[in-house]
Amino acid sequence: MPRLADACPYAWPVGGNWCAVDTALLVIDMQRDFLDPDGYFAALGENAGELRDAVAPAAQVLMLARELGMRVIHTREGHRPDLADLNETKRARAQAMGAPIGSAGPLGRLLVRGEPGWDSVAEMAPVGDEIVVDKCGNGAFHATDLDQILRANGIRNLWLLGVTTDVCVSSTMREANDRGYDVLLISDACRAATPALHEATLAGIEREGGVFGAHISSSALVKAVC
């Protein structure tokens, strides 16, 4: 397929045409712990409702990727039930915010694998052979086999969406860029705790001719591809 001219700040991908075979969709942390008012994010005092605005555009892009036959990979942030993978800095930070990781919440233990809050929201749930990568940090490449999965499947380019724009999504985009992937962030299919944080992240992407990749709206993406 031809480059996406409406992407900002460059027509994506930078190297020329792309195809569904060498492009994967990464769905970052579309979990109840972040998107539900009873989840971990809300327990930190943040506005989970702001993040919910990403769900409808994200679901549209997910459907498009499935129709194109692209590889779809979901990530979920969470810790082992025994919290053996929870470092002291992250533990102390969550505790100071009044939401200790592993403590009891309305959706089970906060940010713990296997609990109801750790699951994907219904609109973004994995289907069929879609891969799920479980992570204990912000970036999806940290302490996971994501890079191995992408390379084993011949993936060179990435579509990226999820929550939150400024933390897990941005961390993953930066990590992917350092590994040589050309990343296209779907701007309205991501959200942060505040619009200002979201917009600042997009502005940062645009620096230096697209220092970490490019971004595009879901509507522009669908129009270009369909």
Side-chain angles (χ1 to χ4, degrees):
M1 294 186 182
R3 296 167 72 189
L4 302 177
D6 287 337
C8 182
Y10 61 82
W12 182 92
V14 70
N17 293 347
W18 66 280
C19 67
V21 173
D22 68 10
T23 305
L25 170 64
L26 285 187
V27 178
I28 304 296
D29 300 356
M30 296 295 276
Q31 301 161 253
R32 296 181 69 194
D33 259 335
F34 297 107
L35 297 165
D36 192 292
D38 288 326
Y40 169 73
F41 193 69
L44 291 172
E46 302 287 3
N47 180 12
E50 181 72 30
L51 305 189
R52 287 289 309 179
D53 288 341
V55 174
Q60 184 180 33
V61 175
L62 177 58
M63 181 173 64
L64 174 62
R66 287 168 174 166
E67 291 173 351
L68 292 172
M70 291 170 54
R71 172 66 74 181
V72 176
I73 302 173
H74 305 256
T75 73
R76 296 178 299 200
E77 182 177 350
H79 293 274
R80 293 164 48 103
D82 61 5
L83 304 184
D85 57 352
L86 176 61
N87 67 61
E88 178 60 22
T89 302
K90 187 175 182 181
R91 183 204 65 76
R93 185 181 298 117
Q95 184 168 338
M97 292 295 294
I101 294 172
S103 63
L107 301 178
R109 298 175 66 201
L110 296 178
L111 217 61
V112 168
R113 297 178 183 180
E115 298 291 335
W118 171 75
D119 246 341
S120 301
V121 295
E123 299 94 326
M124 301 299 296
V127 300
D129 64 350
E130 293 176 356
I131 295 169
V132 179
V133 172
D134 289 317
K135 61 189 183 71
C136 59
N138 295 322
F141 291 90
H142 170 68
T144 74
D145 55 1
L146 176 58
D147 190 56
Q148 174 66 20
I149 291 169
L150 294 174
R151 298 191 188 282
N153 284 273
I155 301 300
R156 298 186 304 143
N157 302 309
L158 299 173
W159 292 0
L160 182 64
L161 59 82
V163 295
T164 60
T165 318
D166 56 319
V167 184
C168 293
V169 173
S170 176
S171 294
T172 298
M173 188 173 194
R174 291 165 185 245
E175 290 177 332
N177 174 72
D178 280 342
R179 287 167 170 79
Y181 299 101
D182 197 347
V183 185
L184 182 66
L185 185 145
I186 318 305
S187 56
D188 57 331
C190 302
R191 283 293 187 277
T194 68
L197 287 170
H198 176 80
E199 293 300 328
T201 304
L202 297 184
I205 291 169
E206 295 171 13
R207 301 296 298 170
E208 300 179 35
V211 62
F212 304 122
H215 64 84
I216 195 171
S217 69
S218 61
S219 59
L221 176 63
V222 171
K223 182 180 179 180
V225 171
C226 295

